[in-house]
Amino acid sequence: MESLFGDEPCRPTVALPPGAHHVPGFLTLEQQRWLVDRFHAWGRGPVPPRYPRVGGHPMSVQSVCLGWHWTPGRLTREAIDQNGERVPPVPDWMVRLGQRALLAADGYEELASAYQPDCALVNYYDDDARMGMHQDKDERSPAPVVSISIGNSCRFRFGNTETRNKPWVDLELRSGDLFVFGGPSRMAFHGVTKVIPGTAPAGCGLTTGRVNITLRVTGLA
Ligand code: SIN
Ligand code: MN
């Protein structure tokens, strides 16, 4: 007899430093598909996806920005490294999604209703893409970062606030998962060491690669 509970066993959780939270299965497949459709729409302009250049080299991840355009060390309203167009604003539904994310992450419930992310970085990883250990430090606000993953799973490395080296925790972020880091972990180094091909669930909207959306409060005017 078909069961309503799916066939996925419970996933083991790993101990994370204070302020960091992993919420597996935050989004339904339908929500994931809807977000992938939005991702394709953002890619059609006004500012198309690009491989940001860091230290003169293109990253392996393609990126589109909402609210503020990210280049290393700088957040601007216009795509200064591309066509100079203003990036679209963060939509209201995405602000509410950020608020729901904080409600779902232990310890952030009280911040949820005041959370007003004004920047979203939407990254596409093909199956060979990676992201090196870095801090999200171009924002002035200490508000938490909300991260949502869709498509193939990845190995996510979450480290410490002092160095890009150990100690760190490796965990798998799967399609529909939420990860929040704020408070004492807001400035923790983190990165993506591997995308795991063939792991996107049917119906998530992607058959290859991975989309990650991070929501941030810049504290900029
Ligand atoms: C990021 O650090 O900006 C993205 C992290 C991820 O792709 O999970
Ligand atoms: Mn980051």
Side-chain angles (χ1 to χ4, degrees), residues 82-165:
Q82 289 178 266
N83 57 9
E85 294 285 331
R86 194 176 171 95
V87 298
V90 173
D92 288 346
W93 60 261
M94 197 179 253
V95 174
R96 292 194 299 277
L97 178 62
Q99 295 175 346
R100 281 193 43 225
L102 291 196
L103 275 180
D106 271 358
Y108 287 116
E109 299 85 347
E110 290 191 359
L111 285 184
S113 62
Y115 189 60
Q116 291 288 330
D118 60 336
C119 177
L121 304 191
V122 185
N123 290 329
Y124 177 76
Y125 297 70
D126 68 26
D127 288 347
D128 297 317
R130 312 260 181 282
M131 190 177 287
M133 293 296 273
H134 66 279
Q135 293 169 297
D136 291 358
K137 60 178 183 190
D138 297 324
E139 304 78 19
R140 293 207 189 127
S141 163
V145 174
V146 162
S147 157
I148 283 168
S149 297
I150 305 173
N152 280 337
S153 303
C154 78
R155 208 158 296 142
F156 183 64
R157 178 161 288 174
F158 195 75
N160 63 85
T161 56
E162 303 302 317
T163 77
R164 62 185 70 246
N165 304 318

Side-chain angles (χ1 to χ4, degrees), residues 166-178:
K166 286 183 176 175
W168 59 51
V169 178
D170 283 334
L171 63 148
E172 207 172 288
L173 293 181
R174 294 189 189 170
S175 198
D177 284 8
L178 164 69

